[in-house]
Amino acid sequence: MSDSEDKERLAIDGGVPSRQRKDPPMYPGGMMIDAEEEQAVLETLRSKRLFRYYGPQDGPSQVALLEEEFGRMLGSPHALAVTSGTAALICALQGVGVGPGDEVIVPAYTWIASASAVAAVGGIPVLAEIDESLTLDPADVERKISPFTRAIMPVHMRGVPCRMDRLLEIGARRGLALVEDVAQADGASFGGQRLGTLGDAGCFSFQFNKILTAGEGGMLLTRSEAVYKRALMYHDVVGGLRNHFPTDEILWGINFRMAELQAAVMRVQLKRLEGLLATMRRSKQVLTSGLQKIARRKSISLQEIPDPAGDASIALIFFTRDAGTAGQIAAALQAENIGAGVLYRPDVTDYHIYAHWTPLMEQRPWTPNGGPWRWAQREIRYTRGDCPRSLDLLGRAIHLNVNPLLSDSDLEETLDGFEKVLGKLA
Ligand SMILES: *Cc1c(COP(=O)(O)O)cnc(C)c1O
């Protein structure tokens, strides 16, 4: 066999893989950790000031500085650092006043924490379909509104901004709060405004898998003084006292306070954000234009991006004609050393998809008498078939990380692999 024939042959059939190397690990901020983070941690440790509110050293706390810098960079007058993205969501829901029996509309495709946060404040997650953007379908959100609905939770999955113009319009018209889950979309925007600053509150995660990271951590942004005050009180057992609220306004809180060491790391990570976004956007542009050419000949379609300029560009997603084809294409791409995967399989548990959220599907309470569904005293039902359109889209979707460490030749070879695999299988 000639060399060129070998190049044509799919790697899954014994041909030469298009990509010479596999992707590096996909931890955008995590892989950037270097001497700067080390220095920041050492300085904080040596100061012995490890708690935001006091210590042997005076001066501003790392957490307070991070809040100021994060809020300024994203354009929010208030920022509250917390221990996780889930903690940020819980504080935001308390902040906007979601409580027992209140319904919150969440997308069928999101990390289960979005729904867990609603249940944690006694609220009831109501599932809505996603559309070809793989984010909330505004038309289905509208259909799912009931007299009990208090809030909508747009989740900017895989760095892609939701259709915020339409969701904000629905929220305003129906008198509902919008709590944005920005855990996967640090720095992304819609209509030139950063995500997390469009709704009533925006929630970020600094867990290790996210764009920026301190291992764990979270942040809440809001332009509302009232939401900020409630979140501030809730995130600290004595938040009301500590922040000098009038005694008759004080509510109890729990502890979600960020540690100084985490904030020291995050302040360095924040400086890396624009560079990471620029790199990933450039790479995604290259991959997208190559894929668009193939899409004109083959039966694939690209994910719809409600505001392409605002996309954080951490992922490239396209749809094939059916789930069987998606499985074949993903396997063939993997053999080419391209880190592709399908987004949903009924038989593979993945807590990003509502159908696999067994504790929610079965309305499992922590105690026999507990649980928001029982307290609600009305019939609430979940089934795996609740959002069929979402499952169909996710089942036909192929996902690739847009790794900031990809070189130009990695990108070229990825496009070669697309040509080869989609030419034969799409
Ligand atoms: C990671 C994530 C969360 C939760 O963040 P943690 O910091 O892990 O609590 C919430 N929503 C989405 C969409 C996420 O990806």
Side-chain angles (χ1 to χ4, degrees), residues 118-266:
V118 175
V121 300
I124 293 165
V126 171
L127 301 166
E129 296 266 27
I130 52 168
D131 61 22
E132 280 79 1
S133 68
L134 299 189
T135 67
L136 271 179
D137 170 9
D140 200 49
V141 167
E142 191 115 36
R143 281 191 289 273
K144 298 291 167 64
I145 295 172
S146 84
F148 300 99
T149 312
R150 277 284 299 135
I152 304 169
M153 189 183 287
V155 184
H156 310 290
M157 279 301 270
R158 306 312 296 139
V160 171
C162 297
R163 303 186 194 279
M164 289 305 288
D165 47 351
R166 295 186 53 199
L167 294 170
L168 284 163
E169 187 276 319
I170 294 171
R173 178 160 42 81
R174 307 293 294 261
L176 305 173
L178 255 71
V179 173
E180 293 176 73
D181 181 337
V182 203
Q184 300 194 5
D186 298 346
S189 59
F190 184 89
Q193 212 176 321
R194 302 281 197 161
L195 301 182
T197 68
L198 291 113
D200 296 272
C203 302
F204 298 77
S205 165
F206 308 135
Q207 186 267 342
F208 197 62
N209 223 0
K210 318 295 173 163
I211 298 177
L212 302 180
T213 187
E216 297 272 16
M219 185 73 75
L220 180 159
L221 298 183
T222 179
R223 83 184 93 73
S224 156
E225 175 84 18
V227 171
Y228 173 68
K229 278 184 166 178
R230 287 174 60 94
L232 181 66
M233 273 200 272
Y234 193 67
H235 106 298
D236 182 2
V237 161
V238 293
L241 276 177
R242 197 155 2 232
N243 291 283
H244 312 293
F245 286 93
T247 323
D248 56 0
E249 278 184 30
I250 292 180
L251 294 164
W252 53 268
I254 60 177
N255 283 341
F256 284 145
R257 298 178 307 249
M258 182 182 274
E260 287 287 283
L261 287 169
Q262 278 173 297
V265 173
M266 274 309 300

Side-chain angles (χ1 to χ4, degrees), residues 1 4 7 18 27 48 60 77 79 95 108 117 140 149-150 155 184 196 203 212 294 322 345 372 376 399 406-407 424:
M1 184 190 337
S4 69
K7 284 238 164 67
S18 299
Y27 304 115
K48 299 187 170 58
D140 200 49
T149 312
R150 277 284 299 135
V155 184
Q184 300 194 5
C203 302
L212 302 180
I294 302 174
D322 54 45
R345 285 183 49 184
H399 171 278
L406 292 181
S407 66
K424 289 219 166 74

